[in-house]
Each structure stands twice: as C-alpha cells, then as structure tokens.
C-alpha cells in the first residue's frame, strides 16, 4: 500500500481525497510568542483551527498541505494538536521561506539539506512527525546568496528522499523560471516540483513554460485579490484547462486558521474571500460555469495532489 506521511502518521494515498496543496494552519514570527506568550491564546487557536477544518471537511476537502516553514513559525506540536481534533489530513513540510534566519547563510548547502532530510526521514524535532514535502521560496529580492543556498539544499534533499518540492514565487517577476533552472542544475526531475503562487500571474507564456518544462503550477492564492482578482484567476485557469493543462495544476488559497500578522477581523475586512472555504463555495462553481469539467476538477483536486505526494514510494518500490 502506498502511504503518505501526515501530522498523524502515514495515510493511504487513496485516502487523501480532495486536497488543497498550499495552506497554513498557523503562521507567525518565530520567537515572538515564545518571548511574549500573552500575545497568543494557544488553546483558542487550536479551537479556531478545529472549527475551520471541520467546515472544510463538511465541504468535501479531505487533506491540506501545510507549507509552514521554520521562518514562518512552524510549530509541529500545535499542528499535531490540531490534526488530532480534525478529520482533515494535514501533510507537513520542511524547508525555509524567504525570510531565513542567519543560520541558513552561515551553513553550507549540504548542512542545510541534512536538516531537511532529517525532518523527512526521522521526523521534526522529537515529535516523530515526518515532513512529506519541501518548501522553498524566491520573492522580489530574487535569488540572493542565502536563497540560492536554500534552493540547492531543497534540491539535494529532494534527490535524497524523493519527496516533492513546493515553492513560493513572486509570479510578476517570473521567479519560477530561475527556481526551475537551479533545480535542474542540481539534477532534480522537474515533475517533482510544484511552482507555487503561479495563479498570481496572467502571463500565459510564463505559465505554459513552467508546465512544459515538467512542473506542476500552484493556482494557490484564491482569495488574495491584491495579487490577481478572482475573475481573472478563474479565467486563466479555465483557459489552461481548455488547452489541456489540467494534469499540471493544483488548487489552494495560501490561507491560514490564525496568523500573527492580521486579526480575524482584519482578515475579514481587508481580504474577505481569503479563507479555506472559498474554493469549494465560490471557485468550483465559477470554474464549472467557465467550462471546466468535473473530470478536470477531480484531476486538479484529487489525482494531481495524490500523484505528487505518493510518487516517492513508487520511485523506490
Ligand atoms: Zn504559503
């Protein structure tokens, strides 16, 4: 039986079901809540996450991939506590986002890769929870020396373990292209890579290129209207489906249950569509209206995520 590691241990790949490939349970500034514990109500956050995941389960979603890294305040005990109170599987990531601590620039590629490999093969900290995906990121600053270090470490950890890479990009700057170039240089099979935040772009040439070179693209910020309005996101996705690219796209929101950047009230006021339920409630109906078929929706929500997450064992079997 092919299994995929989650916050509660291995789950049969056939059980993953409809999957959101880029979400977060909690994002926060590492160190802040540890030093000023009055800034957060841990039990309250677990209860809030439990409620939000129950709503998502009620809408048919069975798995989320939590791409929270160390520099986004990954808290594996918190994720596991939420998973224990949820019926939605939570796949956990290793890796580093684009605000890495000094550690990552003062240690070499292989030393950083060894940390990622440890999270994947032995588990995160003492939790026993194994990461099943590697996150790395390029933002407006591009590939700085520390980001180059991390992209290469991610590539080497991918090759050593077989788990996929999922990235954060600044789509307007076409930063997915340089990520692919670095991964290819490091010998990564680009079909094992999800180039994230691609749904922020309406540049069809850029998007087709990422997919033609073998990667999956993340149409994964539904609800973040400031990067690209919903109607345009739907239009681009429907167009690429019509062109036959449904096999190379996955869906998500990049939303969270709780973040230290924005209160729940601020989220509702400034980003009213940015929540876990937006895809099931609004986007799937809009895609159907735009001519996307049920089979293509199942491809993007079920078959593509499963193929990306389970390929590791197929490769080693
Ligand atoms: Zn994210």
């Amino acid at each position: 039986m092919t299994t995929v590691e989650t916050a509660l241990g291995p789950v049969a790949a056939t059980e993953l079901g409809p999957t959101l490939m880029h979400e977060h349970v909690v994002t926060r500034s590492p160190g802040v809540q540890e030093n000023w514990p009055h800034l957060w109500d841990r039990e309250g956050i677990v209860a809030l996450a439990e409620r939000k995941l129950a709503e998502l389960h009620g809408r048919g979603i069975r798995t989320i991939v939590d791409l929270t890294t160390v520099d986004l305040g990954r808290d594996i005990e918190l994720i596991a506590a939420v998973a224990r109170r949820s019926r939605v599987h939570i796949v956990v990531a290793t890796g580093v986002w684009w605000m890495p601590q000094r550690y990552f620039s003062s240690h070499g590629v292989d030393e950083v890769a060894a940390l990622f490999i440890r999270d994947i093969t032995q588990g995160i900290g003492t939790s026993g929870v194994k990461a099943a995906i590697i996150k790395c990121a390029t933002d407006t600053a591009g590939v700085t020396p520390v980001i180059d270090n991390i992209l290469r470490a991610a590539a080497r950890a991918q090759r050593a373990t077989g788990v996929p890479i999922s990235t954060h990009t600044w789509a307007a700057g076409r930063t997915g292209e340089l990520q692919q170039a670095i991964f290819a240089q490091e010998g990564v099979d680009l079909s094992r890579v999800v180039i994230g935040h691609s749904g922020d772009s309406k540049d069809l040439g850029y998007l087709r290129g990422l997919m033609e070179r073998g990667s999956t693209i993340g149409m994964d910020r539904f609800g973040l209207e400031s990067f690209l309005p919903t109607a345009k996101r739907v239009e681009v996705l429907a167009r690429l489906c019509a062109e036959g690219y449904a096999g190379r796209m996955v869906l998500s929101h990049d939303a969270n249950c709780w973040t230290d950047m924005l209160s729940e009230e601020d989220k509702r006021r400034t980003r009213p569509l940015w929540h876990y339920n937006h895809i099931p409630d609004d986007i799937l109906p809009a895609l159907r209206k735009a001519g996307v078929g049920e089979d293509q929706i199942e491809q993007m929500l079920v078959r593509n995520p499963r193929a990306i997450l389970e390929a590791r064992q197929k490769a080693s079997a």
Side-chain angles (χ1 to χ4, degrees):
M1 184 181 69
T2 312
T3 58
V4 173
E5 292 292 339
T6 73
L8 298 182
V11 166
T14 49
E15 294 293 310
L16 295 177
T19 300
L20 300 179
M21 284 293 280
H22 187 140
E23 303 293 344
H24 302 272
V25 175
V26 165
T27 66
R28 60 193 187 92
S29 312
V32 171
Q33 287 79 23
E34 286 82 351
N35 283 279
W36 294 285
H38 68 282
L39 291 179
W40 79 332
D41 164 15
R42 193 181 170 98
E43 267 317 298
I45 290 166
V46 172
L48 177 66
E50 179 183 11
R51 179 170 62 70
K52 290 191 180 186
L53 286 166
E55 287 176 10
L56 196 52
H57 187 273
R59 286 163 170 79
I61 299 296
R62 294 292 175 264
T63 302
I64 62 167
V65 177
D66 182 338
L67 289 176
T68 307
T69 55
V70 59
D71 48 332
L72 282 167
R74 182 184 66 181
D75 180 338
I76 196 61
E77 301 298 344
L78 179 77
I79 295 170
V82 170
R84 280 192 289 274
R85 287 163 64 164
S86 162
R87 297 168 70 194
V88 175
H89 303 298
I90 305 177
V91 173
V92 172
T94 186
V96 181
W97 193 54
W98 60 270
M99 296 175 78
Q101 290 94 334
R102 290 181 302 171
Y103 183 93
F104 297 97
S105 45
S106 61
H107 291 77
V109 176
D110 287 322
E111 268 182 278
V112 175
L115 301 179
F116 300 166
I117 293 168
R118 187 185 194 283
D119 281 356
I120 296 160
T121 58
Q122 296 176 47
I124 297 165
T126 56
S127 69
V129 176
K130 292 178 179 170
I133 195 161
I134 305 160
K135 165 84 167 283
C136 50
T138 317
D139 206 82
T140 47
V143 181
T144 59
V146 62
I147 295 297
D148 185 73
N149 217 27
I150 290 162
L151 292 177
R152 289 180 195 282
R156 291 180 200 179
Q158 193 289 318
R159 291 193 64 192
T161 63
V163 305
I165 292 173
S166 187
T167 75
H168 162 113
T169 61
W170 174 47
R174 301 173 68 117
T175 63
E177 290 171 343
L178 202 45
Q179 291 178 341
Q180 284 187 320
I182 289 170
F183 296 149
Q185 229 176 49
E186 291 283 336
V188 169
D189 170 356
L190 293 181
S191 75
R192 303 298 295 132
V193 176
V194 180
I195 302 292
H197 306 340
S198 297
D200 291 353
S201 174
K202 54 182 195 285
D203 179 342
L204 293 170
Y206 168 64
L207 300 175
R208 291 186 197 109
L210 294 172
M211 294 187 281
E212 289 300 329
R213 284 184 291 277
S215 298
T216 296
I217 59 173
M219 309 306 263
D220 56 14
R221 274 178 160 176
F222 278 104
L224 282 174
E225 299 254 287
S226 58
F227 291 105
L228 197 65
T230 301
K232 197 71 199 172
R233 289 179 188 270
V234 168
E235 186 189 317
V236 169
L237 184 47
R239 169 77 185 269
L240 291 171
C241 282
E243 291 181 15
Y245 286 109
R248 291 272 166 84
M249 295 190 283
V250 290
L251 310 181
S252 222
H253 307 96
D254 196 13
N256 56 68
C257 298
W258 187 88
T259 174
D260 64 1
M261 278 181 59
L262 281 169
S263 70
E264 288 300 291
E265 193 193 315
D266 286 342
K267 274 195 235 174
R268 274 190 293 273
R269 190 170 46 78
T270 62
R271 299 158 175 81
L273 299 174
W274 190 47
H275 56 77
Y276 283 174
N277 301 334
H278 184 42
I279 287 176
D281 286 356
D282 310 314
I283 298 303
L284 299 184
L287 288 174
R288 290 181 183 112
K289 218 171 148 191
V292 177
E294 287 311 315
D295 187 65
Q296 291 171 314
I297 288 174
E298 198 192 300
Q299 176 100 45
M300 295 185 286
L301 268 183
V302 181
R303 297 200 297 273
N304 294 344
R306 176 181 164 180
I308 291 163
L309 292 167
E310 79 175 352
R312 174 190 187 186
Q313 289 197 340
K314 276 191 176 157
S316 59

